[in-house]
Amino acid sequence: MLPKRLLVGISAAMMAPAITLFSGALHAASGEPVDLMQVYELAVKNDAQLAAARASFKAAEEAVPQSRAALLPQIGLSAQTADNKGVNLNSTPLPAGDRTNNYNTHGWSASLTQPLFNLQSWFAFEQAGYLTEQAGLSLAIEQQSLVLRVAQAYFNVLLAEETLATTIAEEKALQRQLEQTQQRFEVGLIAETDVLEARAAYDQSRVTRIQANNQVSVAYENLWTLTNTSITKLESLDKTMPVSKPTPAIAQEWVKTSVAQNLSLEASRKGIDAASSQLKVSKSGHAPTLNAVATYGHNVNYAQPDTNDKNNSTVYSLQLSVPIFSGGATQSKVRQAGYQLEETQLNYDQSLRTVTANTRNLFNTVNADAENIDAQCRAIESANSALKATESGYEVGTRNIVDVLNAQQNLYGAQRNYLSARYDFIINTLKLKQNAGTLSPQDLKDLNNWMNTSGNNDLTSVCTKS
């Protein structure tokens, strides 16, 4: 079964009304901006990876009825008929001088077998339950992973588009700078080297813009892989969205939550239970089995001429089977199951250490991201002030063109670093929640509240207000 805390949020999205999904597809097809939740709904419906996980879970569920069947009554029906042809070799012929002896026998039987004592079947049934629960957790892991994959794909598109916007702005600024430098050179105010420096910077900005434009296409293709829908425009993230550090603010509290709720650890614990049951199955190979059997038979025999020998029989029996020696196979299976249980336990220990370390690392990373965003804001303010001062100095001859070009590149570089830092903070926050086992579609809904069609591209003003 899926964890209830995850099932509520995910099922709501998976069972979203068809009109909602149709609406998302309609927006995508018409070129209207699509928001984060619409992309998620399309991904829930169309993501092949999630669909494969659902099919795998359904297949794993069948282990329970299959193993239960070995504990339930078994009913069988059989029928037979035989024509016998022979020659009488006695010296005295049969009446009428016929030496042939041809006759028919036929009949049918029905049997009912009820296992009374079978440890192997019982422990196999127990193991199937653990394996089914583990499969349910694996599906929940994949559903949780989809939340993160959608967020990554969505914000990668936004980052690529905003990076392209800054590179276009940088290219235009450097083009204007090149034109101004050319004019100043033509009237003899500056040397030709300044023109060459400005042209080199402008040419490099064109290369950067071409690469950024390609990255936008790549990001949209990744989004198509998730949704199987051609999406051409997304709603932007409001850059005034507050940046908050993780709550609780103590790393050990997150570690405790991860140990208790991390889905991978829960699946590993179910794997240990299943391996323990397999060891019981192997050991029970030494145990006897006892079945109750009821058989009803009807047989007809025409062995003698002019006779019709019919026989009905009902038999009730107990069948006891005691394994004595199987060539050492049972002992070998016990040893094998013991090693497999040990392997499962050691893998769980390794997973526990990994989850614990990842939780601490992500907690520290998200806190660092929050501080980095504020630092990047200050860097934009400083770079903007430095550019203005450098341009003023260039006008009066105290700074050269290289200083101006570097100042412009520093400003646009700071803007790109700020954008990257914001999206890193969002993704790492979601990763922290995933590691703690608390990530759900509600987290996307909360982010979706900060989506709008216009966005806020004036990073300088945003940082000044913050």
Side-chain angles (χ1 to χ4, degrees):
M1 294 180 62
L2 303 182
K4 290 183 179 179
R5 64 179 182 278
L6 191 65
L7 186 62
V8 172
I10 291 178
S11 295
M14 291 179 64
M15 300 175 64
I19 189 172
T20 305
L21 295 173
F22 176 76
S23 174
L26 184 62
H27 278 281
S30 64
E32 295 182 16
V34 178
D35 65 26
L36 182 58
M37 285 308 298
Q38 288 173 323
V39 171
Y40 176 70
E41 290 163 359
L42 288 168
V44 168
K45 181 181 178 183
N46 298 311
D47 180 55
Q49 189 171 325
L50 178 60
R54 288 196 202 107
S56 177
F57 171 65
K58 290 178 181 178
E61 278 187 311
E62 296 302 320
V64 171
Q66 289 174 17
S67 58
R68 184 192 296 118
L71 301 172
L72 299 178
Q74 311 291 313
I75 299 175
L77 179 67
S78 63
Q80 73 284 335
T81 181
D83 285 328
N84 298 274
K85 295 183 179 181
V87 177
N88 189 350
L89 300 179
N90 294 330
S91 57
T92 304
L94 294 172
D98 188 3
R99 287 183 175 273
T100 61
N101 186 14
N102 300 334
Y103 62 94
N104 172 270
T105 61
H106 60 268
W108 60 271
S109 64
S111 65
L112 170 65
T113 303
Q114 172 60 60
L116 299 180
F117 183 81
N118 191 321
L119 284 179
Q120 272 194 328
S121 297
W122 174 255
F123 290 133
F125 175 63
E126 179 185 69
Q127 182 188 33
Y130 290 131
L131 291 175
T132 300
E133 291 180 9
Q134 186 181 38
L137 288 166
S138 296
L139 175 58
I141 290 170
E142 195 56 54
Q143 291 170 327
Q144 203 175 64
S145 173
L146 181 65
V147 174
L148 181 61
R149 289 190 289 122
V150 166
Q152 288 176 319
Y154 190 99
F155 291 119
N156 281 345
V157 171
L158 294 188
L159 177 60
E161 288 183 330
E162 291 174 354
T163 299
L164 176 61
T166 60
T167 58
I168 291 174
E170 181 179 14
E171 181 183 6
K172 290 180 178 179
L174 291 174
Q175 184 179 24
R176 288 194 300 270
Q177 188 66 54
L178 173 60
E179 292 170 352
Q180 293 172 2
T181 304
Q182 183 70 38
Q183 293 171 359
R184 292 167 67 88
F185 168 70
E186 290 174 355
V187 298
L189 295 178
I190 57 174
E192 186 179 9
T193 54
D194 285 356
V195 177
L196 297 177
E197 291 283 359
R199 182 172 297 280
Y202 169 67
D203 290 340
Q204 182 57 47
S205 70
R206 292 179 60 202
V207 173
T208 303
R209 188 255 306 160
I210 292 171
Q211 293 173 338
N213 188 63
N214 178 67
Q215 193 57 42
V216 171
S217 299
V218 171
Y220 270 110
E221 285 298 319
N222 292 335
L223 202 62
W224 175 83
T225 302
L226 275 176
T227 63
N228 195 33
T229 304
S230 180
I231 298 173
T232 58
K233 191 174 182 181
L234 299 178
E235 290 195 354
S236 301
L237 176 69
D238 191 337
K239 294 177 183 60
T240 61
M241 185 189 81
V243 175
S244 303
K245 292 185 177 181
T247 303
I250 302 174
Q252 192 57 33
E253 292 298 321
W254 283 92
V255 170
K256 289 180 180 178
T257 302
S258 297
V259 172
Q261 300 187 28
N262 180 273
L263 296 179
S264 295
L265 289 182
E266 288 191 34
S268 295
R269 285 191 282 266
K270 292 300 178 183
I272 292 176
D273 293 335
S276 299
S277 294
Q278 179 57 49
L279 180 58
K280 295 176 184 178
V281 170
S282 299
K283 288 182 177 180
S284 61
H286 294 289
T289 60
L290 179 64
N291 296 327
V293 182
T295 304
Y296 176 82
H298 173 75
N299 294 284
V300 179
N301 187 350
Y302 293 106
Q304 297 299 325
D306 302 323
T307 63
N308 186 357
D309 184 12
K310 295 182 179 180
N311 179 38
N312 294 331
S313 63
T314 302
V315 179
Y316 301 99
S317 63
L318 290 177
Q319 295 179 351
L320 176 66
S321 175
V322 181
I324 303 299
F325 181 68
S326 58
T330 301
Q331 292 87 342
S332 176
K333 290 179 180 179
V334 171
R335 291 194 299 270
Q336 181 186 46
Y339 293 137
Q340 289 172 340
L341 175 59
E342 182 181 4
E343 176 191 11
T344 306
Q345 291 171 330
L346 292 173
N347 285 337
Y348 171 77
D349 291 341
Q350 180 60 41
S351 298
L352 179 61
R353 298 172 194 174
T354 301
V355 167
T356 300
N358 287 345
T359 300
R360 292 197 186 99
N361 291 337
L362 286 168
F363 177 83
N364 293 331
T365 299
V366 172
N367 279 283
D369 286 341
E371 295 177 1
N372 185 34
I373 291 171
D374 182 68
Q376 293 295 343
C377 259
R378 304 288 80 78
I380 290 175
E381 290 181 314
S382 299
N384 189 53
S385 299
L387 174 59
K388 292 178 180 179
T390 303
E391 288 175 336
S392 299
Y394 181 66
E395 292 294 332
V396 299
T398 59
R399 305 298 292 269
N400 58 38
I401 188 63
V402 175
D403 295 331
V404 174
L405 296 174
N406 287 339
Q408 286 179 331
Q409 291 171 342
N410 287 340
L411 173 60
Y412 290 108
Q415 291 177 350
R416 288 191 285 271
N417 290 339
Y418 169 80
L419 293 171
S420 180
R422 284 192 70 89
Y423 293 126
D424 285 345
F425 168 79
I426 293 172
I427 297 302
N428 287 329
T429 299
L430 296 179
K431 286 182 178 179
L432 176 61
K433 292 182 177 181
Q434 181 189 36
N435 211 64
T438 61
L439 182 64
S440 74
Q442 182 61 44
D443 294 294
L444 296 186
K445 291 181 181 179
D446 294 340
L447 287 170
N448 202 54
N449 292 333
W450 293 95
M451 297 296 168
N452 55 62
T453 56
S454 60
N456 189 340
N457 295 321
D458 189 357
L459 299 183
T460 303
S461 63
V462 170
C463 288
T464 301
K465 291 178 182 178
S466 62

